Amino acid sequence: MQSNTSTVSIQRAMVRGVEKFCVWTKISGKRKRAFFDEAAGAVAYRDQILRQLSAKGTESFAESGKTVAEGWREFQMLRLPKLRGSNARLVQWWIGHYVEEQGRMPLAAVSPRDIDAFLAKKEWSGTTRQQGFVYLRLFYNWLVRYEHLDRSPVQRAERPQAAPVHHLLTVPQVQRLIGLTSNCDRMRAWLVLGVFGGMRISEVGRARPEHIEEIEIFVPQTKSTDPVPRSRFVPILPALKRHLPKSWDCLSEDHIKRARTALAHEMGWDEWPQNCLRHTSASMHY
């Protein structure tokens, strides 16, 4: 239905695999949605909006807009169910913490300075802040796409930088890391598959003892971002054969994250240097 330049309609929508009734409104150029389990609720809400438009006009709908918390609730209902694995877990962790601090702010009032302030916590490393920036960008880009905002404040915020040191390990550092992992097959396998096998983090996370053959390692999928999974074989060099344990538990990010941080602290580092194992492996061939 249309009232002057405003539009109010009811449509069916799938939310988390459940069919719901959605009331779409466009008033003074602003689009909004409300979801209902039953058609009767949607019809009643639509009629209420039409009566308000008829009696008081579009000025009665003037407001400061959705808050950050309200935008997050819509994201949880519509976008979050499409995310999988660690992405779903991490976006909930990051945006959940962000909403605790800035949830009451109107979305339109959020500035790049607010984003910078949230990510500036001293207890977070550069890599951790960089991860938070990525998930805040995901959240705000979705809000822009669905016209809750004209422009994302994250685009103008300062992107955190991970620590630039320690990307290439020295021979003494590699020797010490081997010593520190002598009592843990999981971390020893994670370490040597990277530094002596040159495997990506995603490849190591999927590596299982049954993938180890006589002279090479079968990698079922090289990159998580590949549209079509591609496999490859990694040659087992003498150093890898010498240090690789016969068995280990799961090497996924969720399982090794804390142990890796503890290993970094043992080495005197504030955080684990990004991609240092694969980069160090590549440098050994020159």
Side-chain angles (χ1 to χ4, degrees), residues 152-218:
S152 168
V154 182
Q155 287 183 340
R156 292 166 288 158
E158 183 178 353
R159 179 163 188 156
Q161 298 297 316
V165 296
H166 303 308
H167 280 282
L168 290 180
L169 303 177
T170 64
V171 172
Q173 286 173 332
V174 172
Q175 290 174 334
R176 188 171 180 215
L177 285 167
I178 290 173
L180 290 172
T181 57
S182 59
N183 296 323
C184 180
D185 286 345
R186 171 187 285 166
M187 292 308 296
R188 169 61 67 84
W190 176 83
L191 174 71
V192 300
L193 286 172
V195 77
F196 295 135
M199 295 172 64
R200 299 179 178 89
I201 292 175
S202 59
E203 294 175 340
V204 172
R206 288 187 289 269
R208 301 292 303 159
E210 54 266 28
H211 295 153
I212 308 301
E213 301 181 5
E214 185 175 350
I215 60 173
E216 56 193 4
I217 303 170
F218 172 67

Side-chain angles (χ1 to χ4, degrees), residues 47-210:
D47 293 345
Q48 175 189 340
I49 292 174
L50 291 173
R51 286 195 298 269
Q52 185 175 344
L53 279 170
S54 177
K56 301 180 181 179
T58 57
E59 293 78 9
S60 62
F61 290 87
E63 56 180 42
S64 59
K66 276 187 170 63
T67 63
V68 172
E70 290 170 339
W72 171 231
R73 279 195 291 271
E74 284 215 21
F75 184 97
Q76 287 177 299
M77 192 161 45
L78 299 173
R79 182 68 179 93
L80 186 59
K82 299 177 182 179
L83 298 176
R84 294 291 180 267
S86 60
N87 278 330
R89 176 180 57 80
L90 288 169
V91 77
Q92 289 188 82
W93 191 92
W94 276 107
I95 309 304
H97 280 71
Y98 174 66
V99 169
E100 287 178 5
E101 291 192 16
Q102 301 184 12
R104 294 184 179 181
M105 292 181 63
L107 284 169
V110 179
S111 68
R113 185 177 298 177
D114 297 316
I115 302 297
D116 293 338
F118 171 71
L119 293 173
K121 291 183 174 56
K122 293 182 178 179
E123 63 268 25
W124 290 344
S125 66
T127 302
T128 301
R129 292 184 188 127
Q130 198 173 62
Q131 183 187 77
F133 181 91
V134 168
Y135 287 105
L136 283 170
R137 183 178 59 191
L138 170 68
F139 172 57
Y140 274 103
N141 283 351
W142 183 87
L143 292 172
V144 171
R145 180 181 178 186
Y146 285 92
E147 300 182 348
H148 297 297
L149 277 174
D150 294 328
R151 186 177 181 184
S152 168
V154 182
Q155 287 183 340
R156 292 166 288 158
E158 183 178 353
R159 179 163 188 156
Q161 298 297 316
V165 296
H166 303 308
H167 280 282
L168 290 180
L169 303 177
T170 64
V171 172
Q173 286 173 332
V174 172
Q175 290 174 334
R176 188 171 180 215
L177 285 167
I178 290 173
L180 290 172
T181 57
S182 59
N183 296 323
C184 180
D185 286 345
R186 171 187 285 166
M187 292 308 296
R188 169 61 67 84
W190 176 83
L191 174 71
V192 300
L193 286 172
V195 77
F196 295 135
M199 295 172 64
R200 299 179 178 89
I201 292 175
S202 59
E203 294 175 340
V204 172
R206 288 187 289 269
R208 301 292 303 159
E210 54 266 28

